[in-house]
Amino acid sequence: MQNVRIIEIKKSVFENNDKDADLLREELKAKGVFLLNLMSSPGSGKTTTLIQTINRLKEKLKIAVMEADIDSDVDAKKIKESTGIESIQLHTGGMCHLDAEMTRQGLDHLNLDKDLVILENVGNLVCPAEFDTGASKNCMILSVPEGHDKPLKYPLMFSICDLVLINKMDVAPYFDFDLEACKSYIKMRNPKAKILPICAKTGEGIDQFADWIIESVRLWKEGK
């Protein structure tokens, strides 16, 4: 059979979103608003981690939270009741992620006289990693019951994150979870990622997470 010459012409389907995200980052920078994008699987403990962290930060930073979900306002209510800070719910209309334009629409409904806005993205290890939200930093939570091999199965998610929180360390003795192997797999995907074991239930590691946020905001405002 005669060989056929194949020419691949590709244009990223994310090109427009990437441009929107860069523009949103510039606008937030001009307003002095640091946007943290927090991602994970459902049930990893994002909301509980946020409550613990915000209660340590709210006297030091002006904070607001955007809770993204396919439906319901459970998380936004929980954040507001537990921390007292401004919190809104974003319904994605069935979509499993937020992109830059959707993030912008949420920000339009916040008082942006803030140092920090935290976006709790839709619970999913695939779609949210593919769309730049315009965030200043990306953070994700991996919980112990999910297994230490998740960085091998979902490489993009771990490759885009500045910080990986390993949550539910209190139950590690009851699961076949190898912390050192997990750390090595994360570093395979992203050598620059910071890794922090935590337990949102007991508070283990939450002070360190809060310190990381404060330092990240400070360096960002200094242009570093």
Side-chain angles (χ1 to χ4, degrees), residues 135-155:
S136 310
K137 293 278 188 181
N138 291 315
C139 175
M140 75 153 297
I141 299 176
L142 171 68
S143 64
V144 164
E146 295 175 73
H148 59 261
D149 59 351
K150 283 298 179 290
L152 301 178
K153 296 182 177 182
Y154 300 94

Side-chain angles (χ1 to χ4, degrees), residues 11-218:
K11 182 176 181 179
S12 173
V13 296
F14 306 113
E15 182 178 350
N16 289 338
N17 182 70
D18 290 345
K19 290 178 180 177
D20 289 344
D22 287 339
L23 179 59
L24 181 56
R25 252 187 299 274
E26 291 175 8
E27 293 172 0
L28 291 174
K29 182 73 171 180
K31 294 176 180 177
V33 179
F34 183 98
L35 178 62
L36 177 64
N37 180 29
L38 180 63
M39 300 170 284
S40 78
S41 297
S44 67
K46 287 196 300 297
T47 305
T48 305
T49 300
L50 281 183
I51 290 170
Q52 287 263 25
T53 306
I54 290 167
N55 281 330
R56 287 163 168 78
L57 290 175
K58 63 184 181 182
E59 302 302 323
K60 302 173 183 178
L61 299 172
K62 292 182 287 185
I63 307 170
V65 171
M66 298 191 296
E67 292 283 345
D69 213 337
I70 293 173
D71 204 351
S72 92
D73 58 358
V74 172
D75 291 339
K77 285 182 177 178
K78 188 181 295 185
I79 290 285
K80 190 168 186 178
E81 290 170 359
S82 301
T83 68
I85 69 164
E86 184 179 6
S87 178
I88 62 172
Q89 190 79 43
L90 308 181
H91 286 173
T92 64
M95 298 185 71
C96 59
H97 68 276
L98 288 181
D99 59 23
E101 177 55 31
M102 295 161 75
T103 302
R104 182 190 295 277
Q105 291 177 39
L107 290 166
D108 286 344
H109 292 275
L110 285 177
N111 172 8
L112 288 182
D113 180 24
K114 300 289 189 296
D115 302 300
L116 170 68
V117 173
I118 301 174
L119 170 62
E120 183 178 336
N121 216 315
V122 181
N124 190 313
L125 288 184
V126 180
C127 304
E130 296 177 334
F131 290 85
D132 190 341
T133 59
S136 310
K137 293 278 188 181
N138 291 315
C139 175
M140 75 153 297
I141 299 176
L142 171 68
S143 64
V144 164
E146 295 175 73
H148 59 261
D149 59 351
K150 283 298 179 290
L152 301 178
K153 296 182 177 182
Y154 300 94
L156 181 59
M157 173 60 75
F158 290 87
S159 69
I160 67 165
C161 286
D162 302 282
L163 173 67
V164 177
L165 302 174
I166 303 177
N167 192 24
K168 305 187 181 181
M169 289 302 300
D170 57 326
V171 299
Y174 307 101
F175 288 85
D176 186 20
F177 187 87
D178 188 330
L179 179 59
E180 294 309 312
C182 185
K183 289 179 178 179
S184 69
Y185 296 153
I186 293 169
K187 290 297 184 180
M188 283 171 54
R189 300 305 186 190
N190 185 354
K192 295 181 179 180
K194 181 176 176 61
I195 303 168
L196 180 60
I198 68 168
C199 178
K201 183 177 180 180
T202 66
E204 175 190 347
I206 299 297
D207 286 337
Q208 289 86 346
F209 180 36
D211 289 342
W212 178 86
I213 292 175
I214 291 172
E215 182 68 2
S216 295
V217 172
R218 183 186 69 81

